[in-house]
Amino acid sequence: MQVQPVGGYLANEVGQVLHTLGLTDKAARTRFLKAIPGLREAGVGSTKRLIF
């Protein structure tokens, strides 16, 4: 995973890493991400970024 020039990480890449760590369904990954305080989303579609 690389930090994007405009900040954050691509949501797709974050999802792949979480899947590798055992969060194999989308609902589990969503619950995990919602538990992170201060997490923001920017962009849409394939350019969606998660900013921690």
Side-chain angles (χ1 to χ4, degrees):
M1 259 184 0
Q2 284 186 308
V3 176
Q4 297 299 297
V6 291
Y9 299 90
L10 289 177
N12 186 13
E13 291 180 354
V14 172
Q16 289 174 5
V17 170
L18 293 177
H19 187 276
T20 302
L21 294 174
L23 298 172
T24 56
D25 63 54
K26 183 175 171 128
R29 291 189 296 274
T30 300
R31 279 192 305 274
F32 176 82
L33 290 171
K34 284 186 178 189
I36 298 173
L39 176 68
R40 295 183 296 134
E41 294 181 359
V44 293
S46 64
T47 61
K48 183 174 171 182
R49 295 173 289 120
L50 300 177
I51 303 168
F52 296 91

